[in-house]
Short mmCIF file of all heavy atoms in Angstrom, two decimals:
data_model
loop_
_atom_site.label_atom_id
_atom_site.label_comp_id
_atom_site.label_asym_id
_atom_site.label_seq_id
_atom_site.Cartn_x
_atom_site.Cartn_y
_atom_site.Cartn_z
N TYR S 123 38.86 -64.42 8.72
CA TYR S 123 38.37 -64.66 10.10
C TYR S 123 39.40 -65.29 10.94
O TYR S 123 39.07 -66.05 11.91
CB TYR S 123 37.04 -65.40 10.06
CG TYR S 123 35.99 -64.67 9.30
CD1 TYR S 123 35.63 -65.11 7.95
CD2 TYR S 123 35.34 -63.60 9.81
CE1 TYR S 123 34.70 -64.43 7.33
CE2 TYR S 123 34.35 -62.92 9.11
CZ TYR S 123 34.05 -63.29 7.85
OH TYR S 123 33.08 -62.66 7.10
N GLY S 124 40.65 -65.11 10.68
CA GLY S 124 41.73 -65.62 11.43
C GLY S 124 41.74 -67.20 11.37
O GLY S 124 42.16 -67.81 12.39
N GLY S 125 41.30 -67.74 10.24
CA GLY S 125 41.28 -69.15 10.11
C GLY S 125 40.00 -69.85 10.58
O GLY S 125 39.84 -71.05 10.50
N GLN S 126 39.08 -69.01 11.03
CA GLN S 126 37.78 -69.54 11.50
C GLN S 126 36.92 -69.93 10.31
O GLN S 126 36.99 -69.44 9.26
CB GLN S 126 37.09 -68.44 12.33
CG GLN S 126 35.90 -68.89 13.11
CD GLN S 126 35.31 -67.74 13.96
OE1 GLN S 126 35.61 -66.55 13.79
NE2 GLN S 126 34.39 -68.14 14.87
N ASP S 127 36.05 -70.95 10.49
CA ASP S 127 35.12 -71.45 9.53
C ASP S 127 33.74 -70.87 9.88
O ASP S 127 33.04 -71.47 10.62
CB ASP S 127 35.10 -72.97 9.52
CG ASP S 127 34.15 -73.60 8.54
OD1 ASP S 127 33.44 -72.88 7.91
OD2 ASP S 127 34.28 -74.83 8.40
N PRO S 128 33.33 -69.83 9.18
CA PRO S 128 32.02 -69.23 9.46
C PRO S 128 30.86 -70.17 9.11
O PRO S 128 29.84 -70.16 9.75
CB PRO S 128 31.91 -68.02 8.64
CG PRO S 128 33.04 -68.16 7.59
CD PRO S 128 34.08 -69.02 8.12
N GLY S 129 31.05 -71.02 8.11
CA GLY S 129 30.00 -71.92 7.76
C GLY S 129 29.65 -72.93 8.81
O GLY S 129 28.50 -73.37 8.98
N ALA S 130 30.61 -73.33 9.62
CA ALA S 130 30.46 -74.27 10.67
C ALA S 130 29.50 -73.65 11.72
O ALA S 130 28.63 -74.32 12.31
CB ALA S 130 31.78 -74.72 11.31
N VAL S 131 29.74 -72.36 12.00
CA VAL S 131 28.88 -71.61 12.98
C VAL S 131 27.44 -71.59 12.36
O VAL S 131 26.48 -71.80 13.07
CB VAL S 131 29.45 -70.27 13.23
CG1 VAL S 131 28.53 -69.51 14.22
CG2 VAL S 131 30.84 -70.38 13.87
N ASP S 132 27.39 -71.24 11.13
CA ASP S 132 26.13 -71.07 10.42
C ASP S 132 25.24 -72.36 10.56
O ASP S 132 24.06 -72.27 10.88
CB ASP S 132 26.42 -70.77 8.94
CG ASP S 132 25.18 -70.18 8.23
OD1 ASP S 132 24.09 -70.69 8.48
OD2 ASP S 132 25.40 -69.26 7.38
N ILE S 133 25.89 -73.41 10.23
CA ILE S 133 25.14 -74.72 10.20
C ILE S 133 24.70 -75.01 11.68
O ILE S 133 23.56 -75.58 11.88
CB ILE S 133 25.94 -75.89 9.65
CG1 ILE S 133 26.15 -75.67 8.15
CG2 ILE S 133 25.31 -77.26 9.98
CD1 ILE S 133 27.06 -76.64 7.52
N THR S 134 25.46 -74.79 12.62
CA THR S 134 25.17 -75.00 14.06
C THR S 134 23.92 -74.25 14.40
O THR S 134 22.96 -74.74 15.04
CB THR S 134 26.31 -74.66 15.02
OG1 THR S 134 27.44 -75.48 14.70
CG2 THR S 134 25.92 -74.90 16.42
N VAL S 135 23.88 -72.99 14.00
CA VAL S 135 22.73 -72.13 14.27
C VAL S 135 21.46 -72.65 13.58
O VAL S 135 20.42 -72.70 14.19
CB VAL S 135 23.03 -70.72 13.90
CG1 VAL S 135 21.75 -69.80 14.03
CG2 VAL S 135 24.11 -70.11 14.70
N GLN S 136 21.62 -73.01 12.38
CA GLN S 136 20.40 -73.52 11.58
C GLN S 136 19.80 -74.65 12.22
O GLN S 136 18.55 -74.81 12.21
CB GLN S 136 20.90 -73.88 10.14
CG GLN S 136 21.15 -72.74 9.23
CD GLN S 136 21.46 -73.25 7.82
OE1 GLN S 136 20.70 -74.03 7.30
NE2 GLN S 136 22.55 -72.90 7.33
N HIS S 137 20.54 -75.55 12.76
CA HIS S 137 20.00 -76.80 13.39
C HIS S 137 19.20 -76.58 14.61
O HIS S 137 18.31 -77.36 14.96
CB HIS S 137 21.15 -77.78 13.75
CG HIS S 137 21.56 -78.65 12.57
ND1 HIS S 137 20.72 -79.42 11.85
CD2 HIS S 137 22.84 -78.73 11.92
CE1 HIS S 137 21.35 -80.08 10.86
NE2 HIS S 137 22.63 -79.64 10.89
N GLY S 138 19.37 -75.41 15.19
CA GLY S 138 18.48 -75.13 16.43
C GLY S 138 17.72 -73.88 16.32
O GLY S 138 17.15 -73.35 17.28
N ALA S 139 17.54 -73.32 15.05
CA ALA S 139 16.86 -72.03 14.96
C ALA S 139 15.34 -72.16 14.74
O ALA S 139 14.85 -73.13 14.26
CB ALA S 139 17.48 -71.25 13.74
N TYR S 140 14.73 -71.02 15.12
CA TYR S 140 13.30 -70.86 14.69
C TYR S 140 13.30 -69.96 13.49
O TYR S 140 14.31 -69.37 13.11
CB TYR S 140 12.59 -70.05 15.87
CG TYR S 140 12.58 -70.73 17.19
CD1 TYR S 140 13.51 -70.41 18.19
CD2 TYR S 140 11.65 -71.68 17.50
CE1 TYR S 140 13.46 -70.93 19.43
CE2 TYR S 140 11.54 -72.32 18.70
CZ TYR S 140 12.49 -71.96 19.71
OH TYR S 140 12.43 -72.54 20.93
N GLU S 141 12.16 -69.83 12.84
CA GLU S 141 12.04 -68.94 11.72
C GLU S 141 10.75 -68.20 11.84
O GLU S 141 9.80 -68.60 12.44
CB GLU S 141 12.13 -69.72 10.36
CG GLU S 141 10.85 -70.05 9.76
CD GLU S 141 10.11 -71.08 10.52
OE1 GLU S 141 10.70 -71.81 11.33
OE2 GLU S 141 8.85 -71.22 10.29
N GLU S 142 10.80 -66.98 11.27
CA GLU S 142 9.54 -66.12 11.35
C GLU S 142 8.57 -66.66 10.35
O GLU S 142 8.88 -67.15 9.25
CB GLU S 142 9.96 -64.72 10.94
CG GLU S 142 8.76 -63.73 10.82
CD GLU S 142 7.93 -63.61 12.11
OE1 GLU S 142 8.45 -62.89 13.01
OE2 GLU S 142 6.89 -64.22 12.11
N THR S 143 7.27 -66.60 10.68
CA THR S 143 6.20 -66.95 9.80
C THR S 143 6.00 -65.87 8.81
O THR S 143 5.95 -64.69 9.11
CB THR S 143 4.89 -67.20 10.54
OG1 THR S 143 5.15 -68.22 11.52
CG2 THR S 143 3.78 -67.62 9.56
N GLY S 144 5.83 -66.20 7.47
CA GLY S 144 5.71 -65.22 6.45
C GLY S 144 4.30 -64.60 6.42
O GLY S 144 3.35 -65.18 6.86
N SER S 145 4.20 -63.42 5.79
CA SER S 145 2.98 -62.78 5.59
C SER S 145 3.08 -61.68 4.57
O SER S 145 4.15 -61.04 4.50
CB SER S 145 2.49 -62.11 6.91
OG SER S 145 1.33 -61.33 6.75
N PRO S 146 2.11 -61.49 3.69
CA PRO S 146 2.14 -60.37 2.70
C PRO S 146 2.27 -59.02 3.39
O PRO S 146 2.70 -58.07 2.78
CB PRO S 146 0.87 -60.51 1.96
CG PRO S 146 0.51 -61.98 2.11
CD PRO S 146 0.93 -62.29 3.55
N SER S 147 1.81 -58.99 4.68
CA SER S 147 1.85 -57.57 5.33
C SER S 147 3.09 -57.39 6.12
O SER S 147 3.20 -56.48 6.89
CB SER S 147 0.64 -57.48 6.23
OG SER S 147 0.66 -58.46 7.27
#
């Protein structure tokens, strides 16, 4: 990634993310 740290972006997103509610359907 040209020296980019993808994990740093990942963690940033996680800290402000929503998540879908689970369902068997």
Side-chain angles (χ1 to χ4, degrees):
Y123 300 102
Q126 194 177 10
D127 179 352
V131 180
D132 197 319
I133 291 175
T134 299
V135 172
Q136 285 184 55
H137 275 301
Y140 300 98
E141 96 293 340
E142 175 61 75
T143 301
S145 171
S147 61

